Amino acid sequence: MAPTGLASAIALKRAGHSVLVLEKDLQLGGIGSVLNGSGCAQICPNGCKILLDWGLEAEINAKSAPCSGFSLYKYTAGEAPGPDQFGINRYDPAVLDEARGRYLQFAHRDLVRMLHDAAIEPSDKIGSSSAAQVSIVLGAEVVNVDCEACSVTLQSGDIHTAHAIIGADGTRGVVRKTLIEEEGIFQQSDDGLGVALYHAIVPKVLVDEHDLTVFYHHLGMTVWGGPNRGLRTFVVGNEQNVSLFLYTPDSCQDSTWTREAEMKFTDVLGPCDERIRNLAELTGPATCIQREPSQLESWVSESGRVLVLGDAAHPFPPGATQAYAAALEDAAFIGKIFSHTKNPTRVPDFFRAFQEHREPRVSHIRQVEEEYLNNILMPDGEVKVKRDAAMRARHAVGQNVMDGDLEHMMEDVRIMFGYDSGDDADEWWMTWGRYLDASELSPPQDAFRITTSSSVTRGDEED
Ligand SMILES: Cc1cc2nc3c(=O)[nH]c(=O)nc-3n(C[C@H](O)[C@H](O)[C@H](O)COP(=O)(O)OP(=O)(O)OC[C@H]3O[C@@H](n4cnc5c(N)ncnc54)[C@H](O)[C@@H]3O)c2cc1C
């Protein structure tokens, strides 16, 4: 089950709405669970603050590994026998304080389990005083969405009707597909970054046995940069396994939708530092994930009652670090905005406000992610020589590698971490929402129905 659907269910329940979550698979998962859920789910501070607001601090402390920055190395072999380190970059504690969150590294399965448990917990435990409930149905594949009738049809033939449908069904989901068809102008664009992502995990015991402690840098993450390839490694959750994200040029011309294929990790490494090769030899198959780059024009159906969020609305570049945090932000925004009324006539306003506010934010995130990726993958040449020399010089005097020329990227990071989607939702409410047809605002109706897909939502459903 998908993180975005579960997070939306939590946020809506906190806002007093009952939710029906429909998941096609028979177990918890989503796209990030390709390695049986043992892969890494990084949550940036802007996502962490939402989990903290939902009262999940104890679960975070029990299940996630912290990350306070990264150590940066050359991807290809250096002249000396050891790893060729450019330097390190620590996240500024003042920035984290301001953001009210930290950088977390979960095993994917633990993150999904935590969200699942919070979604089905009694309302008062997650800060809601209402009798709102979340029901989760596994093995419930949505095969059709009727935007006008605001209903979904399941593979089983069952039909669920609601006042609102929220599609959190990922890049290949039926709700996203329905909106694409409604738009009628969708074309697969070729303007992606031309990057494929391979993912694998190495158990701690193997890393220890092969003396690859360089991947256990005390900051929690290592980044190995260019030319044309890059690697990020993370220590994951309380099991302390090492998770690998390898970025390579994408040789696949047939990227119609998200692509998953398995390769031997060592076959896709290219020339690299021997420690990377040694680590790769310890992995099982590498899973390749090619994200489809096209963006959906409208996240809301013409009827105004069907919305997509998370990856279904805004897929990020492969291996983006902000995907989960953005999904949590989507959920927190939708929960905040729906906390103002149970009047179902407001749904189209709320959904359109969601896109109006969230789209600029996720565009900014995408731009920063792309810049970050381009920096890791920078090809050989004068620019790279200068950049590398500058990073080494900064490290030599005890500075962060991203200071100086790259400081604007850290400023972007500050903005990204500091954003609060609840405040953003409040701004819309205070500026516009509460003035739009105020007569509709009271009294709240009891039977407000929502449906999120992967997750679908309901309140009390119509029979
Ligand atoms: C290996 C890997 C590692 C990643 N690591 C990170 C990371 O460290 N940090 C980060 O920020 N991001 C990471 N990502 C990206 C992140 O996993 C996704 O951005 C995130 O899962 C998106 O969540 P989602 O809920 O929107 O979509 P998904 O995870 O794709 O979930 C969609 C859900 O909808 C269900 N569904 C689909 N169609 C239907 C239907 N017709 N009916 C009912 N249910 C349906 C699916 O079964 C699935 O459960 C990683 C991705 C991968 C593949």
Side-chain angles (χ1 to χ4, degrees), residues 31-254:
I31 182 87
S33 66
V34 284
L35 297 171
N36 296 324
S38 58
C40 183
Q42 284 194 298
I43 309 263
C44 300
N46 42 311
C48 171
K49 93 176 88 181
I50 294 168
L51 298 175
L52 292 173
D53 286 347
W54 290 347
L56 297 171
E57 182 154 21
E59 289 82 349
I60 288 174
N61 292 340
K63 291 291 179 189
S64 70
C67 173
S68 50
F70 52 86
S71 180
L72 189 62
Y73 301 92
K74 194 167 151 190
Y75 183 83
T76 47
E79 278 158 25
D84 189 359
Q85 190 187 30
F86 293 128
I88 60 175
N89 207 85
R90 287 190 178 81
Y91 297 122
D92 182 346
V95 170
L96 298 182
D97 272 358
E98 188 187 320
R100 289 197 300 112
R102 25 191 224 277
Y103 215 112
L104 310 172
Q105 298 181 165
F106 286 93
H108 183 84
R109 116 176 114 254
D110 291 338
L111 171 71
V112 173
R113 173 57 61 189
M114 180 180 80
L115 293 175
H116 169 269
D117 291 352
I120 61 170
E121 245 173 15
S123 297
D124 54 346
K125 281 207 169 171
I126 57 164
S128 169
S129 55
S130 78
Q133 284 187 347
V134 171
S135 316
I136 298 175
V137 186
L138 299 176
E141 181 172 359
V142 175
V143 291
N144 187 55
V145 182
D146 184 332
C147 297
E148 289 305 318
C150 204
S151 66
V152 295
T153 307
L154 303 189
Q155 179 77 41
S156 64
D158 288 354
I159 296 178
H160 294 271
T161 305
H163 282 129
I165 296 175
I166 298 178
D169 51 352
T171 49
R172 284 174 288 181
V174 69
V175 187
R176 175 177 167 84
K177 189 159 163 271
T178 303
L179 295 194
I180 287 169
E181 283 167 5
E182 193 175 89
E183 238 163 46
I185 50 165
F186 178 80
Q187 284 192 342
Q188 180 69 35
S189 75
D190 293 325
D191 59 357
L193 293 175
V195 175
L197 170 73
Y198 287 83
H199 182 44
I201 189 108
V202 185
K204 180 174 189 327
V205 58
L206 283 181
V207 182
D208 290 347
E209 267 172 26
H210 289 79
D211 198 19
L212 290 168
T213 47
V214 64
F215 296 105
Y216 281 111
H217 194 273
H218 67 276
L219 294 178
M221 172 166 38
T222 71
V223 181
W224 303 70
N228 304 319
R229 274 182 170 72
L231 177 77
R232 288 195 299 137
T233 71
F234 323 91
V235 178
V236 179
N238 50 9
E239 288 168 358
Q240 304 271 297
N241 297 327
V242 172
S243 181
L244 292 73
F245 276 15
L246 175 72
Y247 305 92
T248 71
D250 184 14
S251 53
C252 180
Q253 300 304 311
D254 174 26

